[in-house]
Amino acid sequence: MSSSELRQKFLKFFEKKGHKIVPSSSLLSTDPSVLFTTAGMQQFKEYFLGKASPYGNRVTSSQKCFRTSDIEEVGDTTHLTFLEMLGNFSFGDYFKKESIEWALEFLTKDCKLKKEKLWITVFEGDKEVPEDKESREIWKELELAEGKIHGFSREDNFWGPTGEEGPCGPTTEIHYELSKKPCSLGKKCLPNCKCGRFIELWNLVFNEFHQDKDKKLTPLKQKGVDTGMGLERLVMVIQKKSSVFETDLFSLTSESQEERIIADHIKGSVFLASEGIIPSNVEQGYVLRRILRRAIRYGKVLNPVRDSENREKSKKERISNGVKMPKNFLIPLAQKVIEIYKDVYPEVKSKEADILTIIQNEEEKFAKTLEKGNKVATLKITRAGKLTADIASNLYESEGVPLEISKEIASSKGFKIEKNIDVYFGKFFKKHQEISRAGAEKKFGGVGKKAGLEEAKLHTATHLMHQALREILGDHVKQMGSDITSQRLRFDFSHTAKMTDEEKQKVEEIVNQKIKQDLEVKKEEMSYKDAIDSGALAFFKEKYPEKVSVYSIGDPSDPSGQVFSKEICAGPHVNRTSELGIFKIKKEESSGAGIRRLRAVLE
Ligand code: SER
């Protein structure tokens, strides 16, 4: 049975039981407290809480889900970031008995799985919520042997809520026994054992409570059912494969852990990109960047087959060091994903061009980051003789080098890594994300979205103009003041004579030429002293803090490594000069002895 047939079979089964088939919702969650849709119930959340459902009280769906919670486990036989969740839902309609009976019926009759291979878990109860005896009884009545039904705690058999608050409740789970091979735990090897004997197939959640922001549970007026079964896992069992990656939802032929990771991440990337997400340093964009870059890194491990020079290098060295990837190796993989899903999720086909462009651009960006980042990281780590969280944080902030890469570089060269580096880096990273987020909000978010963007453009234009003035009038030009609104820039600088029309025109020409060149605007954090030593311009009247941001505008692929402009500044700035438009000087006048004032706009 193909995955498409199975998906349909599931939906039709529940349609026959009076459920309305509802299409998958977007991967972008409407709940601001979560980034993605991680479960089928999310789009129905409020119907569990009593709001009338426009689809009636029984619905079924196959939902696109994206989860980063299992990312470290991706690469084994069953864990994924992107998955499809088959589910049936009841909003105050049927409850435990029907849910359990139908689940068993679907698996044993429609999917022809052997009942003997099914194992059941139920909630064993704790101080707050009583044991779910009812579910256990129902399973027993269905002739599931007592020895196959096991109680587990909250961690395993209680689900929800998604986000900060919402419906939740005890669960009963159906696990499938893949092999008879007992593990070293002997009789204690039960469902949820990590040995690979069992696979968790279907989670039936009985929403009986509402959990509020303080984690307080209150019984819901109306009880609900929320079930979720990973399509990939069901297909794996039905198609008798030993991993989800061998099913027709992936069709990987030669499997290594790296290949699985790449296959998972590229699929996730295709679906995230199809939702209009683009790689960035915050929120969903950051997740997309992370999985794409992770896929690229793992691609490097596989590459040596094609690159004899690097074949001898250790795996770790290959990931971190200058092993060149075949260009755009992710593109054919993304096309394969689109091919597999185009009929079920037409958005991946209609957005194909965008998706491929996003992937290609990120691949190129990361290649550049890695090339330069690796050199700097190797230098810094070698100089220190070890990798500390401080060094890793600095490498991430200034060069975009991910922690994993810094670690790989350090260990491939035999340097020690600071204990608990993940924890320390995690703290730094959280702060960094908050700052980036605040910056992005200030720049582009909220009410002042448009105004913020205009200001960012004018900040960048000011830097270009400052450098152009120095080129035309001389190095004595220094910033004496600056005032930027969303409409115009105003810039005071040291210079004695009135500017001629020709000089003004030349300054305009240089700025517009730099805009046309689409230069990158790069931000780095460093000490004030390092900034000045590295030649960054500063506004001499200003008192700067210990750590400052330095914005460089230049072409990162320029072999000389020289940038056009480098200045200490608090921003905000745009990412590329091409965003600016056309630069025009509006007025030039005196602003005191030896000081000139320029007003300019972007059109
Ligand atoms: N919400 C539950 C889960 O995601 C069941 O659908 O596992």
Side-chain angles (χ1 to χ4, degrees):
M1 216 184 314
S2 72
S3 54
S4 304
E5 283 166 337
L6 258 171
R7 197 188 284 110
Q8 276 314 307
K9 208 182 207 13
F10 181 90
L11 297 173
K12 290 280 169 212
F13 176 90
F14 282 101
E15 191 176 43
K16 273 197 231 122
K17 310 272 185 211
H19 293 62
K20 169 126 183 84
I21 302 176
V22 178
S24 170
S25 67
S26 157
L27 277 175
L28 294 173
S29 165
T30 47
D31 177 350
S33 63
V34 284
L35 289 181
F36 297 108
T37 298
T38 57
M41 61 77 69
Q42 250 160 285
Q43 65 164 323
F44 308 123
K45 203 166 162 180
E46 45 193 3
Y47 312 138
F48 285 107
L49 301 175
K51 191 173 166 196
S53 153
Y55 316 110
N57 289 333
R58 294 180 183 195
V59 301
T60 181
S61 68
S62 173
Q63 173 69 48
K64 297 186 280 185
C65 294
F66 187 88
R67 303 178 163 182
T68 47
S69 48
D70 295 329
I71 197 163
E72 296 300 333
E73 266 144 303
V74 173
D76 70 1
T77 54
T78 56
H79 286 91
L80 296 167
T81 55
F82 173 86
L83 56 102
E84 282 176 89
M85 191 94 95
L86 303 169
N88 56 291
F89 308 87
S90 153
F91 316 126
D93 192 327
Y94 62 86
F95 203 43
K96 295 185 182 174
K97 191 166 176 341
E98 293 88 337
S99 318
I100 293 176
E101 280 175 4
W102 290 338
L104 187 65
E105 181 185 337
F106 179 72
L107 291 179
T108 53
K109 298 231 168 71
D110 294 67
C111 297
K112 304 206 165 46
L113 294 182
K114 289 206 180 90
K115 198 166 157 187
E116 305 87 79
K117 302 233 171 179
L118 303 181
W119 289 60
I120 307 301
T121 64
V122 292
F123 182 57
E124 67 183 6
D126 60 18
K127 270 188 250 151
E128 247 180 313
V129 182
E131 181 188 351
D132 183 5
K133 289 188 187 146
E134 193 185 343
S135 292
R136 190 184 276 271
E137 282 312 309
I138 298 169
W139 283 116
K140 278 205 281 196
E141 274 163 33
L142 294 170
E143 292 168 6
L144 255 285
E146 181 87 39
K148 291 269 175 66
I149 310 170
H150 296 270
F152 282 87
S153 68
R154 262 218 200 193
E155 203 185 312
D156 291 299
N157 281 81
F158 195 94
W159 198 89
T162 53
E164 286 176 340
E165 57 183 332
C168 57
T171 72
T172 180
E173 286 181 351
I174 305 172
H175 295 243
Y176 184 82
E177 187 175 11
L178 290 167
S179 80
K180 276 264 170 250
K181 218 170 75 201
C183 85
S184 61
L185 291 175
K187 276 196 179 144
K188 288 201 189 115
C189 171
L190 296 172
N192 296 323
C193 182
K194 298 263 179 268
C195 71
R197 185 173 149 214
F198 299 99
I199 182 172
E200 179 194 324
L201 216 48
W202 203 341
N203 185 13
L204 317 185
V205 184
F206 302 121
N207 280 322
E208 294 181 59
F209 300 99
H210 178 267
Q211 182 177 302
D212 67 16
K213 286 188 178 133
D214 302 320
K215 300 213 168 358
K216 196 171 148 281
L217 296 177
T218 346
L220 281 171
K221 278 195 206 84
Q222 121 196 336
K223 289 180 178 167
V225 174
D226 149 31
T227 87
M229 171 158 59
L231 173 67
E232 295 77 2
R233 292 183 178 193
L234 179 66
V235 176
M236 166 185 158
V237 169
I238 304 273
Q239 293 181 351
K240 297 197 167 50
K241 303 289 187 190
S242 48
S243 94
V244 288
F245 297 97
E246 289 167 21
T247 66
D248 64 345
L249 289 165
F250 283 94
S251 308
L252 276 195
T253 40
S254 69
E255 281 188 51
S256 63
Q257 195 202 9
E258 290 82 16
E259 256 165 318
R260 289 173 177 171
I261 294 173
I262 295 169
D264 170 82
H265 289 9
I266 190 67
K267 190 191 278 192
S269 301
V270 165
F271 276 94
L272 293 185
S274 78
E275 303 273 1
I277 300 171
I278 39 180
S280 75
N281 289 332
V282 285
E283 318 287 4
Q284 289 96 342
Y286 172 71
V287 177
L288 174 54
R289 170 159 286 169
R290 181 162 171 226
I291 56 168
L292 263 177
R293 292 189 169 195
R294 226 168 164 252
I296 298 167
R297 287 175 46 227
Y298 281 101
K300 284 177 167 251
V301 186
L302 300 175
N303 183 47
V305 214
R306 306 179 194 105
D307 181 349
S308 60
E309 223 182 276
N310 290 305
R311 202 172 299 155
E312 300 310 315
K313 290 189 177 159
S314 76
K315 205 159 152 182
K316 279 195 170 136
E317 257 181 308
R318 278 185 253 137
I319 304 181
S320 58
N321 283 348
V323 178
K324 290 223 165 44
M325 284 303 305
K327 253 195 152 166
N328 302 327
F329 85 107
L330 287 175
I331 295 297
L333 303 182
Q335 284 167 322
K336 190 170 145 190
V337 173
I338 294 170
E339 211 35 48
I340 293 176
Y341 287 96
K342 65 179 197 298
D343 295 328
V344 195
Y345 300 110
E347 64 271 25
V348 293
K349 190 69 191 168
S350 64
K351 296 268 177 66
E352 183 168 14
D354 290 348
I355 296 170
L356 299 182
T357 309
I358 287 173
I359 292 173
Q360 187 169 328
N361 284 350
E362 189 61 14
E363 212 180 305
E364 284 163 12
K365 248 195 202 146
F366 191 43
K368 277 188 195 155
T369 302
L370 271 191
E371 216 170 292
K372 173 141 180 284
N374 271 319
K375 278 192 210 134
V376 181
T378 308
L379 201 78
K380 287 199 171 164
I381 296 168
T382 310
R383 208 185 283 153
K386 62 182 172 209
L387 177 66
T388 63
D390 272 351
I391 296 176
S393 308
N394 179 281
L395 286 169
Y396 177 78
E397 208 166 23
S398 60
E399 305 295 334
V401 181
L403 174 64
E404 288 102 327
I405 301 251
S406 294
K407 287 206 299 201
E408 280 152 10
I409 292 175
S411 61
S412 73
K413 302 214 173 314
F415 290 121
K416 279 221 175 79
I417 298 173
E418 182 181 12
K419 235 169 119 190
N420 296 331
I421 193 166
D422 290 359
V423 180
Y424 296 129
F425 183 86
K427 277 190 190 150
F428 147 80
F429 186 72
K430 208 164 153 237
K431 226 166 84 196
H432 177 82
Q433 285 248 298
E434 274 159 19
I435 293 166
S436 311
R437 197 173 295 136
E441 258 161 36
K442 196 167 152 221
K443 225 156 121 182
F444 308 115
V447 241
K449 198 168 177 173
K450 186 142 188 340
L453 179 59
E454 293 311 311
E455 262 187 54
K457 287 182 187 172
L458 285 160
H459 265 274
T460 304
T462 305
H463 285 208
L464 293 176
M465 186 187 74
H466 189 180
Q467 185 54 34
L469 284 169
R470 289 165 66 87
E471 286 189 4
I472 300 303
L473 304 176
D475 276 348
H476 62 275
V477 168
K478 289 209 168 51
Q479 174 177 349
M480 306 297 280
S482 163
D483 177 64
I484 290 170
T485 70
S486 57
Q487 318 288 323
R488 55 110 183 103
L489 69 84
R490 199 185 74 198
F491 187 73
D492 291 351
F493 61 98
S494 47
H495 185 59
T496 42
K498 184 174 172 57
M499 280 176 79
T500 65
D501 286 346
E502 206 195 332
E503 285 168 342
K504 281 189 271 181
Q505 202 184 329
K506 276 192 183 150
V507 169
E508 276 182 356
E509 268 167 22
I510 293 178
V511 174
N512 284 319
Q513 184 205 0
K514 297 297 160 192
I515 293 174
K516 246 198 227 127
Q517 284 173 4
D518 186 25
L519 302 176
E520 191 182 88
V521 183
K522 208 180 106 188
K523 181 185 169 183
E524 288 170 271
E525 309 274 350
M526 58 182 89
S527 72
Y528 177 73
K529 186 174 178 305
D530 283 352
I532 297 297
D533 287 352
S534 76
L537 297 179
F539 172 25
F540 90 112
K541 275 204 275 182
E542 188 102 68
K543 269 208 171 34
Y544 288 100
E546 269 293 297
K547 279 250 174 209
V548 294
S549 300
V550 175
Y551 283 92
S552 308
I553 309 177
D555 176 1
S557 61
D558 185 343
S560 76
Q562 273 188 350
V563 293
F564 174 68
S565 144
K566 192 166 187 181
E567 247 186 270
I568 299 179
C569 176
H573 283 266
V574 295
N575 296 324
R576 306 199 70 93
T577 57
S578 60
E579 293 170 56
L580 300 186
I582 297 168
F583 172 81
K584 278 221 166 81
I585 292 175
K586 283 289 183 192
K587 196 170 183 186
E588 195 266 353
E589 59 192 336
S590 164
S591 176
I595 299 175
R596 307 297 302 175
R597 170 170 287 184
L598 270 175
R599 289 171 198 270
V601 295
L602 290 168
E603 289 178 356

